[in-house]
């Protein structure tokens, strides 16, 4: 199912390019660290001994009961790289069964060195999708329920523990680990970063919970509470908690404090701090607990957030794209995105016949019969003044003229999405985001009932008691509603797909008022050829395209087939408004950077109405299920995420719990100048113009003749990046605007010079 898939704000600085105004002097402010520590430390603990299982694996496509046996001769199997799925190592589009085998010695010294001596823990990356693990021929782990079979196994970590007395373990001898997999679509195999073996240790049960929000307790100060707790066991931890603030530019410890800390499975320990005198950049915080008795230690690190987006002004401002398209004779819905002190009064001059505007909400509804380009002037006023914007309504054949801006339930809620969560998201979007142009509320997998009704129509499950009512509610807020299905018999989550019911489903969606369909390949592999040709890849999307064309509603069509057959070359011709170019994203730098920085190959596929989709956003609180955690991306990685996706003209689909949008996440999602780069009417996608060891530069042509430029530091250290403007083809541009900070910079001389934090970005707009 799952498929083939630090830090900013320094601003452009230095001799040829200085900040025209503001706080460029990064190191000037005296650091007065105010630490209110409400609640420390020798570093004696030896970390648990690991045996790496990352190398030496062998792989074979197919399935046989003999492949788990110790004596089976796997010499002719192919060497496998378990850091990547099998698709990426010579088995493109391979679904179905495959096996991996590894021979490894398990030394009994592991037990001797361990503090706890009960269990042995295996980490075998992720199993995609269904998986069974055999140790010396005995089944020791499976990722599906008893009574099910491997085909019902769900993608997830291949992590499990065995008692040291388990007879399957051959201590001090060669052991054979054999993994049987069944992949239902997209990427397959065992893959990931964590392939190891170690004794379950005292600290394996212990975790810092840093998911609380940072609170802005003053203009330059942050407060936070973190917790440390054991998830089980009876051990009482008594020790020291050491807290450090580190400047990642110089790697110096700016503040350090150690306190006593005691906790157990029943009573967590909470540490609350306030740090002050912060500049606009991220700092590293480390929390380290050392247990007195065992000397064992656990550490967690996170970056501090910092806000670059200026506060919204009280004067009215119209945001959002410059253009919007709908087909003639289909229902029209557009809410004019505008910020400013409320109440705002909306006006639109030049609306085509058939449309009406609600002056109090800014929502335009109706239907236009005649094709045409209608140039409209929007005016939004409040007691402080008025703002005007020229806007083009294009009634024609193409919709989705700019990339979709919205929310999708998957990265937040996974299969646990329900009516209530969708309403919470719609309300949050309406209250906090729609003024900046956000407008889609998309339900991903998990809404479908187990069976169709007597007429063969798809029906929602008990989590969605009234899909039409929910859609009407979303529309009443001026927002649009999206849904999810698969061309196969089943979706990736095992719910009903649209196979052989395409016309019926398109009609049902239209009856409900759906505006967006994500159509996910998944089990379609089971009903198409084993080695799909280009025509096979196109077929299911052509079929649903024809069905959508039969309904009198504009439903944005979003292909999800992970880039197979280089979809960016034919997505437009098959009638897609967007198409996923990769497997599923995760909230890690590895996932984000490998997806984001590999999109240059897709660039020519983008044009108004048709965009590449490098998958949804992983900012805010994510979790793919009922429990949520703060994204594991650092603040600078998150700036990179939004900047790069905007340069790529990607659909921006927020994937977080919208009921808990913290100040930093809102800052990322409400920067109108950044969003304008994504929404630029020219519809071009950025190209990578420089790729050096530690940095990359991507540039995107804009409708007004300007260029958006992202300077990305892909290294682990702060870097001052110098770009020769002439060599980069940017010589004719003289004005430079820092888009996140919305400030012009003084840029004279032949170079663009940017100090960029690790994994961070400086995003600028150049004009002549
Ligand atoms: C696939 C898709 C995801 C999500 C899930 C739902 O993995 O790529 O985006 O839609 O299916 O099951």
């Amino acid at each position: 199912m799952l498929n083939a898939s630090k830090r900013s704000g320094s601003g452009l600085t230095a001799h040829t390019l200085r900040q025209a105004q503001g706080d460029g002097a990064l190191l000037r402010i005296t650091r007065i660290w105010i630490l209110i520590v409400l609640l420390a430390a020798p570093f004696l603990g030896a970390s648990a001994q690991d045996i790496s299982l990352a190398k030496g694996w062998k792989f074979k496509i197919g399935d046989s009961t003999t492949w788990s046996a110790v004596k089976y001769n796997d010499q002719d199997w192919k060497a496998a790289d378990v850091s990547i799925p099998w698709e990426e190592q010579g088995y493109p589009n391979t679904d179905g069964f495959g096996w991996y085998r590894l021979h490894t010695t398990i030394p009994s010294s592991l037990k001797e060195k361990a503090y706890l001596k009960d269990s042995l823990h295996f980490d075998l990356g992720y199993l995609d999708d269904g998986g069974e693990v055999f140790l010396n021929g005995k089944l020791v782990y499976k990722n599906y329920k008893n009574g099910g079979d491997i085909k019902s196994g769900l993608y997830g970590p291949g992590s499990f523990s065995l008692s040291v007395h388990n007879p399957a373990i051959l201590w001090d001898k060669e052991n054979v680990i054999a993994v049987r997999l069944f992949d239902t679509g997209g990427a397959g195999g065992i893959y990931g970063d964590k392939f190891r073996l170690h004794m379950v240790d005292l600290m394996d049960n212990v975790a810092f919970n840093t998911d609380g929000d940072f609170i802005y307790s003053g203009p330059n100060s942050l407060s936070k509470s973190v917790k440390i707790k054991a998830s089980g066991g009876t051990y009482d931890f008594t020790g020291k908690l050491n807290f450090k603030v580190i400047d990642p530019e110089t790697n110096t410890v700016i503040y350090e404090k150690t306190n006593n800390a005691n906790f157990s499975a029943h009573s967590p320990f909470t540490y609350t701090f306030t740090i002050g005198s912060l500049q606009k950049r991220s700092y590293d915080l480390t929390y380290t607990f050392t247990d007195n008795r065992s000397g064992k230690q656990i550490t967690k690190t996170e970056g501090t957030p910092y806000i670059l987006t200026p506060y919204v002004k009280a004067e009215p401002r119209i945001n959002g794209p410059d253009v919007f398209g709908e087909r003639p004779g289909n229902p029209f819905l557009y809410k004019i995105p505008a910020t400013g002190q409320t109440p705002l009064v909306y006006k639109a001059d030049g609306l085509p016949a058939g449309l009406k505007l609600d002056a109090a909400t800014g929502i335009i509804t109706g239907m236009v019969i005649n094709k045409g380009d209608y140039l409209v002037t929007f005016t939004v006023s409040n007691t402080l003044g008025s703002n005007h914007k020229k806007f083009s309504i294009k009634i024609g054949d193409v919709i989705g003229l700019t990339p979709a801006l919205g929310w999708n339930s998957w990265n937040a809620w996974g299969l646990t999405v329900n009516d209530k969560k969708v309403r919470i998201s719609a309300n949050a979007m309406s209250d906090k985001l729609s003024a900046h142009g956000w407008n889609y509320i998309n339900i991903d997998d998990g809404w479908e009932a187990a069976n169709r009704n007597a007429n063969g129509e798809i029906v929602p499950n008990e989590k969605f008691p009234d899909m039409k009512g929910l859609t009407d509610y979303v529309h009443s807020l001026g927002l649009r509603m999206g849904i999810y299905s698969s061309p196969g018999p089943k979706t990736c989550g095992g719910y009903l797909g649209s196979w052989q019911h395409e016309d019926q489903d398109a009609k049902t969606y239209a009856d409900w008022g759906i505006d967006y369909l994500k159509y996910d390949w998944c089990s379609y592999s089971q009903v198409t050829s084993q080695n799909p040709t280009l025509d096979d890849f196109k077929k299911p999307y052509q079929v649903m395209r024809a069905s959508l064309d039969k309904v009198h509603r504009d439903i944005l069509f979003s292909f999800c087939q992970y880039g197979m057959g280089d979809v960016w070359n034919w997505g437009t011709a098959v009638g897609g408004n967007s198409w996923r170019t990769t497997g599923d994203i995760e909230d890690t730098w590895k996932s984000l950077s490998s997806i984001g920085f590999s999109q240059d190959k897709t660039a020519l596929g983008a044009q108004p109405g048709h965009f590449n989709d490098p998958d949804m956003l992983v900012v805010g609180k994510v979790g793919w299920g009922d429990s949520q955690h703060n994204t594991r991306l650092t603040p600078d990685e998150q700036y990179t995420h939004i900047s790069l996706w905007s340069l790529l003209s990607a659909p921006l689909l927020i994937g977080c719990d919208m009921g808990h949008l913290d100040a930093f996440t809102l800052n990322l999602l409400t920067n109108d100048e950044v969003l304008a780069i994504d929404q630029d009417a020219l519809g071009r996608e950025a190209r990578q113009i420089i790729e050096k060891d530690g940095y990359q530069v991507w540039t995107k042509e804009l409708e007004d003749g300007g260029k958006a430029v992202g300077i990305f530091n892909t290294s682990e250290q702060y870097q001052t990046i110098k770009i020769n403007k002439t060599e980069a083809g940017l010589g004719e541009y003289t004005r430079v605007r820092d888009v996140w900070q919305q400030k012009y910079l003084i840029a004279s001389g032949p170079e663009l010079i940017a100090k960029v934090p690790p994994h961070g970005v400086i995003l600028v707009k150049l004009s002549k």
Side-chain angles (χ1 to χ4, degrees):
M1 148 172 104
L2 268 276
N3 313 291
S5 282
K6 287 184 153 169
R7 313 160 235 274
S8 165
S10 333
L12 284 148
T13 55
H15 43 289
T16 50
L17 189 58
R18 280 178 289 112
Q19 293 194 334
Q21 34 167 300
D23 53 12
L26 288 173
L27 299 169
R28 199 179 46 211
I29 302 170
T30 330
R31 292 197 184 91
I32 311 157
W33 291 88
I34 314 154
L35 244 112
I36 308 158
V37 177
L38 301 180
L39 171 163
F43 296 92
L44 308 167
S47 66
Q49 200 196 352
D50 282 9
I51 303 275
S52 170
L53 302 177
K55 298 258 147 58
W57 288 91
K58 294 191 143 189
F59 173 66
K60 190 172 170 91
I61 296 276
D63 192 29
S64 162
T65 48
T66 62
W67 292 355
S68 67
V70 178
K71 296 234 168 80
Y72 176 78
N73 184 349
D74 55 27
Q75 261 173 10
D76 63 335
W77 285 28
K78 243 190 109 176
D81 175 352
V82 290
S83 70
I84 47 176
W86 66 45
E87 275 76 2
E88 291 172 33
Q89 41 191 319
Y91 303 94
N93 315 316
T94 300
D95 299 321
F97 285 102
W99 281 72
Y100 290 76
R101 281 171 63 96
L102 176 77
H103 299 251
T104 189
T105 303
I106 306 182
S108 56
S109 60
L110 279 180
K111 284 190 274 187
E112 284 139 35
K113 289 185 183 141
Y115 189 78
L116 299 182
K117 303 185 188 296
D118 310 329
S119 326
L120 186 62
H121 187 82
F122 292 75
D123 282 312
L124 302 178
Y126 283 86
L127 309 183
D128 192 353
D129 296 300
E132 291 171 348
V133 181
F134 298 85
L135 182 62
N136 301 314
K138 298 191 184 70
L139 180 66
V140 289
Y141 177 73
K142 58 186 194 318
N143 68 358
Y144 53 90
K145 295 195 186 100
N146 288 334
D149 71 357
I150 193 165
K151 295 188 179 170
S152 62
L154 281 183
Y155 167 89
S159 295
F160 57 94
S161 301
L162 300 180
S163 156
V164 291
H165 306 298
N166 190 314
I169 307 172
L170 302 176
W171 293 100
D172 294 321
K173 293 197 184 113
E174 187 181 89
N175 289 253
V176 176
I177 305 174
V179 188
R180 179 185 185 223
L181 287 153
F182 182 81
D183 181 35
T184 50
I190 49 172
Y191 52 90
D193 299 334
K194 260 211 248 166
F195 279 86
R196 54 181 199 169
L197 195 61
H198 62 90
M199 290 294 292
V200 172
D201 215 345
L202 200 56
M203 290 300 176
D204 291 352
N205 264 336
V206 175
F208 278 103
N209 183 334
T210 55
D211 286 335
D213 290 341
F214 281 95
I215 310 289
Y216 291 81
S217 43
N220 301 313
S221 71
L222 285 173
S223 301
K224 180 162 181 164
S225 291
V226 300
K227 283 188 166 46
I228 182 164
K229 185 175 176 280
S231 58
T234 53
Y235 190 89
D236 285 325
F237 291 84
T238 310
K240 307 267 184 228
L241 194 144
N242 171 264
F243 171 67
K244 278 200 198 101
V245 183
I246 299 164
D247 177 343
E249 186 175 358
T250 54
N251 262 322
T252 48
V253 176
I254 294 167
Y255 181 85
E256 180 168 13
K257 180 136 175 68
T258 303
N259 288 91
N260 290 329
N262 305 328
F263 62 91
S264 65
H266 307 293
S267 90
F269 178 80
T270 304
Y271 179 71
T272 302
F273 60 86
T274 297
I275 42 180
S277 295
L278 295 167
Q279 301 158 49
K280 274 193 188 171
R281 60 191 304 203
S282 188
Y283 300 86
D284 289 339
L285 305 182
T286 68
Y287 314 99
T288 305
F289 174 78
T290 310
D291 181 57
N292 286 344
R293 259 182 296 162
S294 64
K296 299 278 174 189
Q297 205 167 67
I298 181 169
T299 296
K300 183 149 180 185
T301 306
E302 65 176 333
T304 57
Y306 61 99
I307 288 180
L308 295 178
T309 302
Y311 287 119
V312 167
K313 295 201 174 66
E315 290 79 23
R317 183 183 195 275
I318 305 173
N319 304 308
D322 298 336
V323 52
F324 178 69
E326 209 77 273
R327 294 192 182 93
N330 286 353
F332 186 100
L333 176 71
Y334 186 81
K335 179 176 158 68
I336 302 171
T339 44
Q341 185 182 297
T342 53
L344 295 172
V345 178
Y346 299 79
K347 194 164 156 266
D349 292 308
L351 279 184
L355 297 188
K356 65 171 194 308
L357 164 73
D358 182 324
T361 62
I363 300 174
I364 304 172
T365 51
M367 184 182 287
V368 187
I369 301 299
N370 297 321
K371 280 192 176 180
D373 286 357
Y374 301 92
L375 197 62
V376 182
T377 304
F378 292 150
T379 304
V380 175
S381 314
N382 65 11
T383 50
L384 300 168
S386 294
N387 184 232
H388 306 281
K389 173 171 173 136
K390 296 239 178 295
F391 189 78
S392 166
I393 294 178
K394 291 186 191 290
I395 304 295
D397 297 323
V398 191
I399 62 168
L401 294 174
T402 62
L405 290 183
W407 173 83
N408 169 295
S409 56
W410 185 249
N411 293 352
W413 302 116
L415 298 172
T416 73
V417 62
N418 61 24
D419 177 283
K420 188 169 169 218
K421 288 168 177 163
V422 173
R423 281 176 201 261
I424 288 173
S425 302
N427 291 339
M429 184 171 284
S430 173
D431 294 347
K432 298 176 176 161
L433 296 170
S434 66
H436 303 276
W438 297 89
N439 58 75
Y440 280 98
I441 291 289
N442 294 352
I443 304 172
D444 206 278
D445 204 356
W447 63 269
E448 314 87 334
N451 295 301
R452 292 175 174 271
N453 69 15
N455 300 325
E457 288 157 352
I458 189 98
V459 281
N461 58 37
E462 65 292 345
K463 295 188 290 159
F464 290 91
D466 180 6
M467 196 62 100
K468 169 106 177 63
L470 178 60
T471 306
D472 289 346
Y473 177 68
V474 168
H475 288 161
S476 75
L477 301 171
L479 306 176
R480 284 187 272 269
M481 182 81 164
I483 213 156
Y484 166 97
S485 188
S486 168
K490 289 279 168 71
T491 66
C492 289
Y495 288 75
L496 271 190
S498 294
W499 191 54
Q500 295 185 329
H501 290 274
E502 295 83 359
D503 276 357
Q504 243 177 341
D505 287 359
K507 183 174 177 306
T508 304
Y509 303 152
D511 290 346
W512 288 339
I514 299 296
D515 306 290
Y516 186 115
L517 173 65
K518 171 173 170 182
Y519 207 47
D520 193 350
W521 177 275
C522 298
S523 70
Y524 188 78
S525 342
Q526 290 164 25
V527 294
T528 185
S529 129
Q530 284 270 323
N531 297 304
T533 61
L534 201 53
D535 284 344
D536 294 330
F537 284 132
K538 294 178 181 173
K539 175 108 185 281
Y541 293 94
Q542 288 163 331
V543 170
M544 186 46 106
R545 175 72 270 165
S547 301
L548 291 173
D549 287 341
K550 289 178 195 160
V551 301
H552 296 291
R553 188 161 187 94
D554 286 335
I555 300 181
L556 217 70
F557 195 17
S558 148
F559 300 178
C560 177
Q561 46 84 288
Y562 340 115
M564 293 185 300
D566 294 350
V567 59
W568 46 90
N569 294 329
W570 49 266
T572 297
V574 175
N577 297 108
S578 66
W579 42 83
R580 281 269 296 278
T581 56
T582 74
D584 288 14
I585 197 167
E586 288 173 20
D587 56 326
T588 63
W589 174 247
K590 188 175 176 212
S591 171
L592 173 81
S593 57
S594 64
I595 290 178
F597 293 123
S598 65
Q599 296 300 308
D600 188 64
K601 60 179 187 283
T602 70
L604 296 178
Q607 56 176 294
H610 312 281
F611 297 101
N612 290 301
D613 174 5
D615 206 3
M616 302 175 287
L617 303 180
V618 278
V619 301
K621 294 199 188 294
V622 295
W624 291 269
D626 242 345
S627 79
Q628 314 283 298
H629 60 262
N630 286 341
T631 176
R632 289 174 289 164
L633 298 177
T634 67
D636 284 314
E637 290 167 354
Q638 295 180 63
Y639 276 117
T640 288
H641 190 10
I642 304 297
S643 303
L644 183 55
W645 264 234
S646 297
L647 285 164
L648 296 174
S649 298
L652 300 181
L653 294 170
I654 302 165
C656 70
D657 172 3
M658 296 268 281
H660 291 102
L661 283 166
D662 61 290
F664 175 71
T665 308
L666 270 174
N667 140 80
L668 287 172
L669 301 174
T670 55
N671 191 306
D672 296 308
E673 295 195 17
V674 175
L675 292 174
I677 292 177
D678 180 70
Q679 294 291 299
D680 187 73
L682 196 61
R684 293 278 166 82
E685 179 168 330
R687 303 303 306 259
Q688 181 192 61
I689 61 159
I690 300 176
E691 184 195 4
K692 291 251 165 88
D693 278 347
Y695 70 93
Q696 299 198 13
V697 179
W698 289 66
T699 62
K700 172 175 176 173
E701 276 179 61
L702 302 173
E703 171 88 356
D704 66 2
K707 256 193 185 167
V709 181
I711 305 169
F712 298 92
N713 178 357
T714 50
S715 81
E716 308 299 321
Q717 288 88 36
Y718 258 86
Q719 274 198 82
T720 296
I721 299 168
K722 299 184 183 175
I723 300 156
N724 181 305
K725 282 168 69 182
T726 314
E727 282 172 18
L730 305 171
E732 48 187 330
Y733 298 93
T734 50
R735 303 188 78 200
V736 182
R737 187 163 170 88
D738 179 325
V739 182
W740 278 104
Q741 304 209 53
Q742 305 186 357
K743 278 179 189 169
Y744 279 105
L745 307 164
I746 297 171
S748 54
E751 286 181 319
L752 281 179
I753 302 179
K755 182 155 83 176
V756 195
H759 298 184
V761 60
I762 299 297
L763 181 64
V764 292
K765 181 175 168 183
L766 305 184
S767 45
K768 288 178 189 162

